[in-house]
Amino acid sequence: MNYTFIALVENKPGVLNRVASLFRRRNFNIESLAVGRTENPEVSRMTVVVDCPNGDVDAHRIEANLYKLVNVIDVQDVTHQPVVARDLALIKVRVGPERRAEVNGLAEIFRARIVDVAPDSVVVEITGTEDKIEGMIELLRPIGIVEMVRTGQISMTRGVHDGVRRMPGMESRRYEDVMDMAEMMP
Amino acid sequence: MKLKGAEIVWECLVREGVEVVFGYPGGANMPIYDAMLNYPVHHVLVRHEQGGAHMADGYARASGKVGVAMATSGPGATNLVTGIATAMMDSVPVVFITGQVAAHLIGGDAFQETDVTGITLPITKHNYLVTRAEEIAETIREAFYIAKSGRPGPVLIDICKNAQVESCEFAYPEEVKLPGYQPVTRSPRNLLDDAVALIEKAKKPIILCGHGVIMSNAEEELMQFAVKTQTPVASTLLGLGAFPASHELSLGMMGMHGEAYTNLAIQNSDLILAFGMRFDDRVTGTLKTYAPKAKKIHIEIDPSEVHKNVFVDVPLVGDVKTVVADLIPLVDEYDHDEWKQEINGWKNEADTRSIMNWEEDGRLYVAHLIADIWKATGGGAIVTTDVGQHQMWTAQYYQLEKPNRWITSGGAGTMGFGLPSAIGAWFAAKDQEIWAVAGDGGFQMTAAELTTAVQEGANVKVAIMNNSFLGMVRQWQEFFFEKRYSAVNMLAPDFVKLAEAHGVPAKRVTKREEVNEAIEWARSIKGPTVLEFRVEMEDAVYPMVPAGAALHEMIRRPVKA
């Protein structure tokens, strides 16, 4: 089963490599990994979807191992939490003027947009859950997909709630709290 | 104060209390070596960078401080890799400082450029690439803090040559700012209470003492807890010395070559208290049948070790010393007499098989030799080993009473570790007797460090157990490959001549009656000595839990007719 983790990491060179290397070394298979900035320039945010054949046991391992990395500030498991999860896809469809309206209609149903039109193709931009994107791909495939790119999943919990932190003593590690903790260090 | 990067390196090392570094100069760290002459740090010129890494490791283990090893870029840095991996597997705090080509050359395959941070990423606790002089002070401060705190481990700093020669304002950082690095040291009360509830119910408890006890200086707490609850203490290979071997609650070593009665006690226990150990496959045997009746309490600083190999009932994440100190007032006193008697029954049975009770037949058995060294040194020496049969015999027969005197490569199983780590240990404890026990195979891997020992006047006694085989591999081939001895028959140089060529006095011992005299001869000489013991060729280490077997399914030493 796939588990989704949100990791806050220090925005430093090589941190992505450390995280990816850790998953490789511990023999976990990453389904999707998306990295981007946050509201704090010193912090990057990763959404990692990992296949966990042993369920919660693996999830615990992943979280604990992430904390072994010095640059990892916070890890939350949001698998079983109410989250907003999004994936963005750009899909280039081989389509001439005669069937363009059909693609346009599909895009409307999926709240997608056509962002480029060429004589023999269009590019469709769609955001949403992975399921929704899969649904659109299925309908576009018979028309003819030339090229496709996806960002991978990004997730955010709904409301002010956090995800699950499995490690004892690791509760609430938002960056502001962590900065306070740093001042308390010996 | 404006300083060159290379000077900042030494300013920081001095402030971190570094007195000795083990290293090798080269093109990419020459500015650091040039600046070194102005600082009160002793540099040991090793013969191979791997030797330097093991010396820093041995120094760290014997002193409880952070060891430091240096190398230049490229092959100099990659020669450290085995030593770094060894320190990583055994959680030893060592800071490695390597030179790197100038920052503007990185990525261009410049002469002696190697991606050292990339190579060492999986075998360091953390590592750094420093491209500017301004980063050096903060990086070194962080590196020492990370190496020593939490679960200790090696940290590597790769410093570009331009950063070494550029100047910048130097200020030693007052504090370390690592928002993500917050080792948990104390377990919450509710989990301590859960542990106490299990301890109260236990009829057959056992403590498994690991390296973590020594790393956190928790020996006193362990003693208090064990005595108060009358719980027998078994030790991992690296935990030896944390609990005195002569104590009535001591069960000695557990695991693949552990005492048979110790393994039986673990398998029959109803509560395992794991103190700073990680349920390595060498101590558990197959996990399917491991301690089936036992509840498990795991005290461990590294959260990723909890539930990793063995699912535990109560995880107490934190520093062993702190957590056990928190536990002691919460537990009651017990006697556990029945349980101790049951264990004693197994122990008496084991004694009848012990090689120590064999009659002398004039031949040299390593077990006897180790016991002789143990007696001669009053059990007080620092003992380092290589890896293999002699390592296990030394663990079994050199009865340690105190911590930080047993230096061996446990997790990685690094051959060639014994001699260099002994030299490193000597710098930490010059007033103590130091013995390096080696096999003929491992000794040949790092024998060149004999000259380092001579140059430094390191008072280390090397005992080579020469059976003309790679003994442990031969033992496995004997037991599991129908005695098809593949690539284990090993020619050795004349060790006495080899030692003498290095300027080290040496003796060969072939007869039982020469042993004690030779040991006393070695002890009487100030400076390094080598003793080569021509030991029984086909002796095996007993007991042995075959790989994949249950912990109680041991191959026992045959009773001698």
Side-chain angles (χ1 to χ4, degrees):
Chain A
M1 162 179 186
N2 283 350
Y3 276 66
T4 307
F5 299 90
I6 292 170
L8 296 183
V9 302
E10 287 184 78
N11 182 11
K12 285 185 174 171
V15 176
L16 174 60
N17 185 16
R18 286 177 199 278
V19 172
S21 168
L22 176 137
F23 282 100
R24 177 192 56 75
R25 179 154 51 103
R26 299 292 176 188
N27 207 17
F28 286 114
N29 192 18
I30 300 178
E31 297 289 334
S32 154
L33 171 59
V35 194
R37 295 162 185 242
T38 64
E39 72 284 2
N40 184 332
E42 289 173 45
V43 179
S44 298
R45 181 174 166 126
M46 297 183 177
T47 307
V48 195
V49 183
V50 195
D51 181 25
C52 295
N54 301 311
D56 282 3
V57 177
D58 283 347
H60 168 95
R61 268 183 208 158
I62 286 167
E63 185 170 328
N65 273 290
L66 280 168
Y67 275 124
K68 279 175 83 104
L69 299 178
V70 168
N71 303 120
V72 171
I73 298 164
D74 183 47
V75 185
Q76 300 171 49
D77 178 353
V78 299
T79 311
H80 303 294
Q81 303 299 306
V83 291
V84 180
R86 290 289 180 273
D87 192 348
L88 185 150
L90 295 175
I91 307 164
K92 190 181 285 174
V93 185
R94 178 174 291 120
V95 61
E98 68 284 355
R99 288 183 77 184
R100 211 176 274 153
E102 187 185 341
V103 175
N104 211 1
L106 281 174
E108 215 161 278
I109 295 165
F110 280 90
R111 293 180 199 276
R113 294 196 300 156
I114 292 183
V115 292
D116 180 63
V117 180
D120 55 353
S121 68
V122 297
V123 175
V124 182
E125 173 198 300
I126 177 170
T127 61
T129 61
E130 293 196 321
D131 286 353
K132 176 179 156 189
I133 294 174
E134 295 295 339
M136 172 120 197
I137 291 168
E138 217 164 283
L139 292 169
L140 290 176
R141 204 181 290 280
I143 300 173
I145 294 175
V146 185
E147 202 181 342
M148 184 174 82
V149 57
R150 293 172 70 166
T151 58
Q153 186 186 322
I154 56 171
S155 295
M156 186 176 272
T157 52
R158 302 177 64 185
V160 291
H161 302 292
D162 289 347
V164 175
R165 292 179 176 84
R166 294 165 185 277
M167 305 312 303
M170 296 285 186
E171 296 85 9
S172 179
R173 305 247 289 175
R174 288 163 183 279
Y175 191 67
E176 301 75 37
D177 301 337
V178 164
M179 290 317 280
D180 291 343
M181 285 165 72
E183 281 164 21
M184 285 157 49
M185 281 171 50
Chain B
M1 178 171 51
K2 241 182 157 62
L3 290 177
K4 280 186 190 167
E7 293 169 323
I8 293 174
V9 170
W10 294 104
E11 288 284 345
C12 292
L13 292 183
V14 168
R15 280 173 174 74
E16 291 293 341
V18 175
E19 289 162 351
V20 56
V21 303
F22 305 90
Y24 211 100
N29 65 356
M30 276 177 66
I32 295 176
Y33 272 83
D34 179 64
M36 179 176 80
L37 294 177
N38 300 329
Y39 289 88
V41 175
H42 181 73
H43 179 266
V44 179
L45 179 59
V46 301
R47 294 301 179 273
H48 185 288
E49 289 85 351
Q50 182 185 349
H54 294 329
M55 284 181 211
D57 183 319
Y59 174 86
R61 296 197 211 204
S63 68
K65 295 194 224 165
V66 178
V68 180
M70 286 186 176
T72 185
S73 63
T78 56
N79 277 349
L80 291 173
V81 165
T82 304
I84 299 172
T86 305
M88 183 70 173
M89 288 295 275
D90 289 347
S91 308
V92 182
V94 183
V95 169
F96 294 92
I97 297 177
T98 52
Q100 181 56 278
V101 300
H104 72 277
L105 296 175
I106 284 185
D109 293 332
F111 177 65
Q112 291 197 331
E113 182 197 348
T114 306
D115 176 13
V116 178
T117 36
I119 289 170
T120 59
L121 190 68
I123 54 166
T124 48
K125 186 173 172 186
H126 194 57
N127 65 15
Y128 297 89
L129 172 64
V130 175
T131 56
R132 300 181 310 130
E134 286 82 358
E135 301 163 17
I136 292 176
E138 192 184 347
T139 305
I140 293 182
R141 179 86 163 86
E142 282 181 16
F144 275 79
Y145 177 70
I146 291 169
K148 191 81 176 70
S149 56
R151 179 180 183 174
V155 179
L156 179 134
I157 309 171
D158 198 28
I159 308 179
C160 289
K161 196 166 180 183
N162 61 293
Q164 299 171 33
V165 293
E166 286 161 7
S167 295
C168 73
E169 202 60 39
F170 170 69
Y172 191 63
E174 287 292 315
E175 58 178 63
V176 179
K177 280 186 194 147
L178 292 165
Y181 182 72
Q182 311 281 340
V184 179
T185 56
R186 189 161 237 142
S187 275
R189 179 62 197 254
N190 62 323
L191 286 176
L192 291 175
D193 289 340
D194 290 352
V196 170
L198 289 184
I199 294 166
E200 270 171 12
K201 259 187 260 164
K203 295 273 176 278
K204 301 178 175 188
I206 186 166
I207 293 170
L208 310 186
C209 161
H211 199 200
V213 174
I214 295 172
M215 302 304 287
S216 79
N217 302 313
E219 299 86 8
E220 263 186 54
E221 287 76 10
L222 167 63
M223 176 62 81
Q224 279 180 33
F225 181 91
V227 170
K228 185 171 183 185
T229 59
Q230 286 297 300
T231 307
V233 181
S235 178
T236 67
L237 175 67
L238 289 181
L240 291 170
F243 194 77
S246 61
H247 197 281
E248 57 124 6
L249 287 169
S250 171
L251 297 182
M253 186 166 72
M254 66 179 110
M256 182 176 270
H257 295 296
E259 302 286 352
Y261 62 88
T262 311
N263 289 343
L264 285 171
I266 292 170
Q267 290 298 76
N268 286 283
S269 66
D270 63 2
L271 177 66
I272 281 177
L273 294 131
F275 285 19
M277 55 83 74
R278 60 188 176 89
F279 295 104
D280 179 82
D281 56 281
R282 283 294 189 269
V283 305
T284 60
T286 180
L287 291 169
K288 282 183 215 132
T289 51
Y290 183 64
K293 290 165 244 167
K295 297 272 182 192
K296 296 172 186 83
I297 299 170
H298 193 184
I299 304 177
E300 168 61 50
I301 188 102
D302 180 352
S304 74
E305 291 297 346
V306 176
H307 304 316
K308 187 178 83 175
N309 298 326
V310 169
F311 189 82
V312 297
D313 299 278
V314 181
L316 299 176
V317 174
D319 181 51
V320 179
K321 189 182 179 77
T322 312
V323 175
V324 178
D326 286 348
L327 267 181
I328 290 168
L330 303 179
V331 295
D332 293 329
E333 290 180 24
Y334 301 97
D335 61 33
H336 291 311
D337 282 344
E338 267 177 53
W339 173 226
K340 285 188 289 182
Q341 268 170 25
E342 193 176 353
I343 296 174
N344 270 335
W346 296 319
K347 189 172 183 177
N348 293 337
E349 205 273 331
D351 281 347
T352 61
R353 290 170 183 264
S354 170
I355 189 170
M356 300 314 292
N357 298 329
W358 283 16
E359 269 183 47
E360 297 282 351
D361 57 8
R363 292 191 285 186
L364 295 186
Y365 295 97
V366 180
H368 291 156
L369 298 174
I370 300 297
D372 290 342
I373 295 171
W374 171 65
K375 275 180 217 145
T377 56
I382 291 178
V383 182
T384 74
T385 72
D386 266 23
V387 167
Q389 286 187 314
H390 71 276
Q391 176 190 31
M392 291 301 130
W393 277 312
T394 311
Q396 290 173 338
Y397 297 103
Y398 199 95
Q399 306 279 307
L400 290 148
E401 299 295 310
K402 289 184 177 165
N404 296 332
R405 296 188 182 197
W406 168 238
I407 296 172
T408 193
S409 169
T414 307
M415 288 173 72
F417 181 77
L419 171 62
S421 62
I423 297 170
W426 178 75
F427 283 95
K430 291 187 180 178
D431 54 337
Q432 285 194 50
E433 192 166 346
I434 296 167
W435 281 78
V437 182
D440 45 324
F443 184 74
Q444 290 186 57
M445 287 188 175
T446 53
E449 302 303 340
L450 277 178
T451 297
T452 310
V454 172
Q455 188 167 347
E456 296 293 334
N459 192 12
V460 298
K461 311 297 159 199
V462 182
I464 304 171
M465 304 297 164
N466 184 0
N467 60 0
S468 304
F469 274 125
L470 295 176
M472 190 59 95
V473 181
R474 185 208 57 74
Q475 177 172 334
W476 281 51
Q477 290 173 347
E478 179 188 337
F479 287 3
F480 312 118
F481 293 85
E482 296 160 341
K483 287 201 179 190
R484 286 157 59 88
Y485 289 172
S486 171
V488 290
N489 193 319
M490 189 179 229
L491 190 67
D494 182 327
F495 285 121
V496 173
K497 278 189 183 160
L498 176 78
E500 284 170 357
H502 284 276
V504 176
K507 262 195 199 327
R508 179 174 297 115
V509 182
T510 54
K511 295 192 186 72
R512 192 74 190 93
E513 60 266 26
E514 300 166 346
V515 171
N516 283 321
E517 196 186 324
I519 292 172
E520 286 312 321
W521 171 82
R523 298 184 73 214
S524 70
I525 291 172
K526 200 161 162 49
T529 56
V530 168
L531 294 178
E532 180 201 1
F533 294 98
R534 287 289 179 87
V535 299
E536 183 63 19
M537 286 180 75
E538 297 191 78
D539 194 10
V541 182
Y542 296 101
M544 179 181 192
V545 180
L551 192 55
H552 58 275
E553 291 169 353
M554 290 157 287
I555 304 174
R556 307 284 293 269
R557 185 176 280 279
V559 179
K560 204 180 184 194

